Amino acid sequence: MACLHDHSCEDHDCSSDWSLYKHIDLTKASALNEATPGSVKSVFKAWEHRLNTSEEHLESNEGDPELLVFIPFTSDVKLKSISIVGGADGTSPSKMRAFINRDGIDFSDAQSMQAIQEWDLAENMQGVLEYQTRYSKFQSVGNITLHFPDNFGGDTTKIHYIGLKGEATQLKRDVVATIVYELMPNPSDHKTRAESGGGLSHVE
């Protein structure tokens, strides 16, 4: 299901308030088969800048339209929808497959694994389409990998914008890990007086 934006977006959760852009860990975002290394980072931008196609974009290598995009978050998120603005002249991706909380997926994995959800995409140069997720399956998402296996006939696949809408949890992933660690005390941190030599230790 796609949102066509034929309404007041602010009243339908389409505004930038729901954008997860600020919760993407851009330093760890990556793509396989990108023609220009690191260009994947350029497709993540504020919702209101989604139609700015004059800047750098993500493009696959010549003659190979397949792309695999890894998107990690700084905190777990609940993902509601995904928006893709692709290139013109048949270079927009025509299909999208999603995998969540799986690190290190390559093309072989993506082709053999069952995606949590798949979408047939339309060419979306105006940025008016958003593809809804099966929301109950997209809870506690620490990272998402998007597989774009094909396009509309172009020699390459171009993506100018990937937009993710939803809600982020308040705790960052490393903070959650620290809390879990503290809830499971390390016995060596709690030695008895006898074990520690019977006196008070001085920490430098």
Side-chain angles (χ1 to χ4, degrees), residues 23 28 58 77 79 116 131 134 191:
H23 300 282
K28 297 178 182 177
L58 172 63
V77 304
L79 187 59
I116 193 169
Y131 298 92
R134 297 190 186 103
K191 290 184 178 181

Side-chain angles (χ1 to χ4, degrees), residues 15-23 45 47 161 164-166:
S15 71
S16 58
D17 292 344
W18 291 87
S19 173
L20 294 173
Y21 162 63
K22 292 182 179 180
H23 300 282
K45 60 191 79 172
W47 183 79
Y161 171 77
L164 305 167
K165 297 284 183 68

Side-chain angles (χ1 to χ4, degrees), residues 7-184:
H7 52 246
S8 171
C9 287
E10 285 70 19
D11 295 336
H12 289 76
D13 299 341
C14 296
S15 71
S16 58
D17 292 344
W18 291 87
S19 173
L20 294 173
Y21 162 63
K22 292 182 179 180
H23 300 282
I24 296 173
D25 190 346
L26 286 177
T27 62
K28 297 178 182 177
S30 61
L32 296 183
N33 197 39
E34 58 180 341
T36 302
S39 60
V40 65
K41 294 175 173 58
S42 68
V43 305
F44 305 110
K45 60 191 79 172
W47 183 79
E48 57 268 25
H49 297 149
R50 68 195 185 283
L51 299 183
N52 187 351
T53 59
S54 61
E55 300 175 352
E56 188 179 14
H57 60 272
L58 172 63
E59 184 171 5
S60 68
N61 284 297
E62 187 77 22
D64 185 356
E66 198 170 10
L67 283 169
L68 195 65
V69 179
F70 175 70
I71 309 167
F73 299 100
T74 56
S75 64
D76 285 352
V77 304
K78 300 177 181 180
L79 187 59
K80 299 173 67 174
S81 67
I82 303 172
S83 178
I84 305 293
V85 176
D89 302 321
T91 61
S92 289
S94 60
K95 190 177 184 67
M96 177 171 65
R97 308 171 68 235
F99 307 89
I100 62 172
N101 299 333
R102 299 293 297 266
D103 295 339
I105 293 177
D106 59 21
F107 285 117
S108 177
D109 296 327
Q111 291 161 1
S112 61
M113 290 167 50
Q114 178 70 42
I116 193 169
Q117 190 171 348
E118 300 186 6
W119 298 262
D120 289 323
L121 305 181
E123 293 179 281
N124 182 34
M125 260 67 78
Q126 300 305 313
V128 297
L129 294 174
E130 288 185 0
Y131 298 92
Q132 308 301 308
T133 65
R134 297 190 186 103
Y135 192 51
S136 63
K137 293 187 175 183
F138 287 80
Q139 308 289 302
S140 299
V141 179
N143 63 68
I144 185 169
T145 300
L146 299 179
H147 179 214
F148 302 97
D150 208 350
N151 60 20
F152 289 93
D155 289 336
T156 64
T157 294
K158 295 180 183 179
I159 297 177
H160 293 281
Y161 171 77
I162 296 178
L164 305 167
K165 297 284 183 68
E167 300 178 71
T169 61
Q170 295 301 309
L171 292 175
K172 292 186 178 182
R173 295 181 66 80
D174 55 351
V175 174
V176 173
T178 301
I179 292 174
V180 172
Y181 172 78
E182 291 298 334
L183 289 175
M184 301 175 63

